[in-house]
Amino acid sequence: MEAERKARDWPALIEALSVFCLILLYIWRVRLFHPWRWLVILGIVVTSHWIRDEGPSTLGLGRREFRRALRPVAPWVVALAGLLVLAGVAFGTVNPVVLGRTPGSLTVYMAWGLVQQWLLNGYFLRRFSEACGARHGATVAVLLFAVAHLPNWFLTAVALAGGYVAVRIFQRYGSLWLLGLAHGLIGFTLNLVVPDE
């Protein structure tokens, strides 16, 4: 039984690390010259879900999971966003350009937040948990999520803390919809109030 479990560990680990390396390669090299090549990575991840029979509800895209997570999580997200806005107003750091583009920017942030949470929790957390167990898999997924935000030290720190919280919430409630919306709202709010420098 142990030998069979270990035989399953390596393919998931190799797959997830390979996809992570492809993402870094795309961010740092490929997107400058071939911006649509991210579709190759998307195809690999979607194929992986298909091979493992991981459908939308398995990945956390069901309504039931969203409703179950909404009441305990949403107030904290809204409160954090509110505190960030208040801090931006108090310190005079609210960016008027971002504020003027709120509807469109917020929509883009929500969509991008969902994609990042799908990769973090729906893909990497699953693969690393399969390979290393739930606790170690979560640690590896969060650390790599933070590394993907280098060299921006601020985003790396936010990704580390936010990724940890997101993984814990996903492990408890299993809702990518809620995490994507939360990621988008907090990301947009940080863009609104944190000075570029």
Side-chain angles (χ1 to χ4, degrees), residues 76-87:
W76 291 100
V77 172
V78 172
L80 177 57
L83 286 172
L84 289 169
V85 169
L86 288 175

Side-chain angles (χ1 to χ4, degrees), residues 62-177:
R63 279 183 270 169
R64 184 178 57 136
E65 294 86 0
F66 177 75
R67 284 194 303 264
R68 191 167 69 100
L70 188 61
R71 183 173 288 165
V73 177
W76 291 100
V77 172
V78 172
L80 177 57
L83 286 172
L84 289 169
V85 169
L86 288 175
V89 169
F91 291 108
T93 60
V94 174
N95 186 327
V97 174
V98 175
L99 188 60
R101 297 179 182 160
T102 295
S105 293
L106 185 56
T107 302
V108 169
Y109 265 92
M110 295 287 189
W112 183 230
L114 181 60
V115 169
Q116 288 193 58
Q117 290 301 318
W118 163 53
L119 288 171
L120 172 61
N121 288 297
Y123 181 74
F124 286 113
L125 177 63
R126 287 181 158 288
R127 298 299 170 268
F128 288 128
S129 294
E130 184 181 326
C132 312
R135 195 172 99 211
H136 296 304
T139 301
V140 173
V142 169
L143 288 174
L144 292 182
F145 184 66
V147 165
H149 290 81
L150 286 171
N152 186 321
W153 66 267
F154 177 76
L155 277 183
T156 302
V158 169
L160 185 63
Y164 173 78
V165 171
V167 163
R168 294 303 304 255
I169 290 171
F170 186 78
Q171 287 176 326
R172 183 163 186 175
Y173 298 106
S175 175
L176 283 183
W177 287 119

